[in-house]
Amino acid sequence: MAEFFGTTVADIFNTMPKRFKPEASKGVDVVIGYDCGGEGGGKWKLTVKDQAARIETVEGDLGPCTATIIASDAETFIGVTLQKIGAIDALSQGKMKVIGDTRMLMTLLPQIFVQYTVPAKKTEVTARGILSAIGERFRPDKAAGVTLKYGYDLTGEGGGQFTITIANGTCTLKEGLDADLAVKMTMEAATYVGMMTGTIDGAAAFTSGKVRIDGDMMAAAATGKYFDKYVDPNAEEAEELLSLKKITSINQRFATGPVMGKWFAGLREKKLLASVCPVCRRTLILPQEICQFCHVRTKEYVELGPEGYVTNFDLVYFASPDPLSGEVRDTPYACAWIMLEGATPEDAFAFEIKKEDLPKLKIGSRVRPTWAEKPTGSFRDILYFEIID
Amino acid sequence: MTCKCEDIKDCFVIEARMALPNQYFVGRIGSKWIIAMRDKKKLTGLKCDKCNITYVPPREHCNKCGATIADNWVDVGTTGEIVNFTIVNYNDKHLPKKAPYILGQIKLDGADTPLTHIVADVDPADVHVGMKVKAVFAEGPVNTLMQLDHFEPV
């Protein structure tokens, strides 16, 4: 069908029943014939009676009409309807002709019909469409060194099965599900589209069971990182709003005092110092001024370790964001309680375990600290504890 | 009770710094105002037609009658007159310029309220109330009030 001004003649007639205003057509009893020539044209007959409008296509003769509008071509008819072409111009140029009462038509029609407007063109967003263009959104810089193969099993209308492979800084999509996927996500195609266009929250969809994840959960959560955000082509252009981002820096000075100062001085020499309670002889690490059991001042210091064993540990998969910076540290990480050599029971020292050693970490693992090249007397002097094989 | 410090040789001070990320939303009105400076090199204000007052910087409601004037944008001149000023004589890291510099209140041509901004290219000894100044815009996008970089004498 021929389109002019972004619409067709048929669209104008098809929307007539919706645009009809019954309350404004009291006592109106007319039959209006339309004859539009050229490509995309045709004949229609509008009957308005008893506050109801009926529109029908007519083959051949229009029959008896109160008035008939004849347009030479579809462009003229659509243009006049949309008021892109002046009705008077079209009439005077002979592109449009009215048989019957022109004045009656020009006052009656706007009164009983809502003005026709071209519906906004919407690009249909489909799961397949989003996925087929996934390569364009791929960010090799964000996925440097990442090798990952994951799949989508999209059910329902517009669904399908897809495997996405990220390797060597490229991203490829293919239909079907490979057997060696790191993770497979199963959901309705509509859920996937909703998640991509932002109408459905991914985490909420997962917790409510709309999305099933089989395989490496962390890999599934990370997939979004390797791509630019999908932009909904139908989204209205947002008003530009400005905000000022500023990091206020506040200088701080922290006095160690004599006891904590001993600890930091020890770190400079790659020593882990504990204070010793003169009454119960327990070792306090980090050094404390007072033994909280005996309520006496500690005076002596003793070097512990550097080796020890893990008595307990927390393996952290979901780190809370830093409240100040909003940054989330790398996960998983482990915070381990380490019994250093020479420490009294229950006086363990808490520190991080080397990331690469996490898979073999268990209670009882023997560990030793790895020091920074040039200790300066700060907590950063110990990088981590590593497991001794 | 006095503190007896027998061993202070390992007492020392650790210098640290706390970073506080802040985000200040310029607002819908403020955004339009700064975007007009950025994209059109124009100074605009909001006018209350009833009270015949043009506000620069713009404000959503008329200060006098309280009417919503958010859509009634008008262009004002990029030149104006200093109605008040001060000379900043101390340095601090939160300040926009090295001291000494002039902070002027400028009533732009067509505006009824003064705009506070930096007045540059004039000796602090020569600045006076009634001095005519013109706006100098920043070159690239700044997206803050500093999109209008400073005022200088005409």
Side-chain angles (χ1 to χ4, degrees):
Chain A
M1 193 114 205
E3 258 192 31
F4 297 98
F5 305 103
T7 189
T8 65
V9 178
D11 280 341
I12 295 171
F13 287 110
N14 291 341
T15 55
M16 266 190 176
K18 272 192 195 162
R19 294 188 286 118
F20 183 63
K21 295 192 278 189
E23 71 284 355
S25 66
K26 251 182 208 153
V28 177
D29 182 358
V30 289
V31 177
I32 301 168
Y34 294 90
D35 184 349
C36 180
E39 197 191 343
K43 288 180 187 175
W44 284 265
K45 190 152 87 173
L46 169 72
T47 311
V48 181
K49 197 177 182 179
D50 301 331
Q51 291 183 270
R54 193 161 50 98
I55 188 84
E56 59 199 314
T57 51
V58 177
E59 301 286 338
D61 192 32
L62 278 166
C65 292
T66 321
T68 308
I69 299 171
I70 301 160
S72 61
D73 54 69
E75 186 178 3
T76 304
F77 186 79
I78 296 168
V80 171
T81 306
L82 292 173
Q83 299 173 347
K84 303 265 188 198
I85 298 175
I88 305 296
D89 293 343
L91 288 168
S92 63
Q93 287 166 11
K95 286 187 173 177
M96 199 177 225
K97 212 160 74 182
V98 173
I99 301 171
D101 190 342
T102 312
R103 192 178 296 268
M104 181 276 286
L105 282 179
M106 285 175 80
T107 51
L108 178 70
L109 291 177
Q111 177 199 324
I112 62 171
F113 286 105
V114 175
Q115 167 67 34
Y116 178 75
T117 50
V118 181
K121 273 254 157 68
K122 287 217 166 181
T123 318
E124 205 189 342
V125 179
T126 62
R128 192 172 288 269
I130 295 171
L131 278 165
S132 62
I134 199 164
E136 293 165 23
R137 294 189 290 115
F138 182 62
R139 292 283 302 268
D141 53 325
K142 295 259 173 85
V146 174
T147 303
L148 178 66
K149 192 188 257 193
Y150 64 102
Y152 286 109
D153 189 352
L154 304 177
T155 59
E157 198 183 331
Q161 294 182 319
F162 303 90
T163 299
I164 294 162
T165 309
I166 297 173
N168 306 321
T170 61
C171 168
T172 49
L173 172 86
K174 70 167 192 178
E175 295 225 13
L177 289 169
D178 279 9
D180 57 339
L181 297 173
V183 60
K184 185 182 84 172
M185 288 165 268
T186 309
M187 67 192 96
E188 278 188 30
T191 305
Y192 178 75
V193 172
M195 273 162 52
M196 296 310 288
T197 53
T199 55
I200 295 174
D201 176 59
F206 173 65
T207 48
S208 66
K210 281 183 172 173
V211 178
R212 206 178 76 223
I213 299 177
D214 298 305
D216 186 348
M217 201 86 102
M218 298 304 291
T223 52
K225 284 197 289 202
Y226 312 133
F227 300 94
D228 281 332
K229 200 181 172 308
Y230 175 74
V231 180
D232 184 354
N234 296 329
E236 282 175 31
E237 201 178 329
E239 175 184 357
E240 185 182 358
L241 296 171
L242 303 178
S243 70
L244 170 63
K245 288 195 176 78
K246 199 167 172 60
I247 296 175
T248 311
S249 164
I250 300 171
N251 294 339
Q252 295 184 307
R253 287 159 66 80
F254 164 67
T256 62
V259 179
M260 194 57 92
K262 266 273 187 297
W263 163 257
F264 284 115
L267 290 182
R268 276 188 205 148
E269 294 162 35
K270 303 191 180 178
K271 280 181 182 171
L272 302 169
L273 293 181
S275 58
V276 181
C277 170
V279 176
C280 68
R281 302 306 294 169
R282 64 185 277 256
T283 56
L284 292 89
I285 189 165
L286 310 180
Q288 289 168 53
E289 199 166 354
I290 309 280
C291 170
Q292 68 265 52
F293 298 127
C294 310
H295 300 182
V296 291
R297 216 169 268 279
T298 60
K299 286 197 184 76
E300 287 171 63
Y301 291 88
V302 62
E303 187 189 348
L304 301 184
E307 292 185 8
Y309 67 92
V310 173
T311 61
N312 202 357
F313 62 88
D314 289 319
L315 208 47
V316 184
Y317 283 97
F318 293 96
S320 1
D322 183 325
L324 291 182
S325 66
E327 276 170 26
V328 181
R329 60 179 296 177
D330 252 6
T331 54
Y333 68 89
C335 175
W337 291 96
I338 299 158
M339 286 304 301
L340 296 167
E341 266 162 33
T344 48
E346 296 180 23
D347 288 301
F349 173 66
F351 214 80
E352 250 187 279
I353 299 294
K354 188 177 178 181
K355 196 174 168 91
E356 290 73 23
D357 286 352
L358 292 182
K360 52 182 177 176
L361 175 64
K362 55 183 190 290
I363 289 175
S365 295
R366 281 203 67 79
V367 291
R368 70 170 162 233
T370 301
W371 295 89
E373 236 168 77
K374 280 182 195 153
T376 55
S378 103
F379 247 107
R380 296 207 174 88
D381 292 347
I382 312 173
L383 300 178
Y384 41 75
F385 274 71
E386 62 178 358
I387 293 175
I388 312 165
D389 293 311
Chain B
M1 192 185 126
T2 52
C3 177
K4 240 171 53 183
C5 290
E6 290 145 10
D7 179 10
I8 58 162
K9 96 176 152 53
D10 286 323
C11 291
F12 55 97
V13 167
I14 292 174
E15 302 281 349
R17 186 170 292 163
M18 182 159 66
L20 296 174
N22 279 295
Q23 181 165 313
Y24 164 71
F25 176 40
V26 179
R28 302 182 73 169
I29 303 276
S31 294
K32 281 207 175 97
W33 187 49
I34 290 168
I35 289 166
M37 294 178 198
R38 184 191 69 192
D39 296 347
K40 296 180 184 152
K41 306 273 180 216
K42 261 185 185 175
L43 289 174
T44 54
L46 282 172
K47 185 178 181 184
C48 177
D49 287 329
K50 195 178 141 210
C51 306
N52 200 25
I53 301 173
T54 302
Y55 295 94
V56 181
R59 41 185 301 152
E60 193 170 357
H61 300 283
C62 175
N63 196 30
K64 201 172 166 193
C65 69
T68 305
I69 54 171
D71 295 322
N72 199 21
W73 287 96
V74 290
D75 287 350
V76 295
T78 53
T79 54
E81 181 183 314
I82 293 179
V83 293
N84 204 348
F85 68 92
T86 188
I87 296 160
V88 180
N89 275 312
Y90 74 105
N91 284 312
D92 200 334
K93 64 178 180 180
H94 72 269
L95 294 176
K97 253 175 104 84
K98 253 186 124 72
Y101 68 95
I102 305 157
L103 215 46
Q105 287 202 299
I106 295 112
K107 206 165 104 176
L108 293 161
D109 300 336
D112 295 295
T113 56
L115 169 67
T116 305
H117 217 298
I118 296 162
V119 180
D121 289 340
V122 55
D123 194 291
D126 297 337
V127 67
H128 58 270
V129 169
M131 190 179 216
K132 299 271 186 239
V133 289
K134 68 165 193 259
V136 178
F137 293 99
E139 283 298 319
V142 180
N143 289 339
T144 71
L145 181 54
M146 297 311 287
Q147 190 69 51
L148 166 55
D149 195 70
H150 63 272
F151 283 90
E152 63 180 26
V154 176

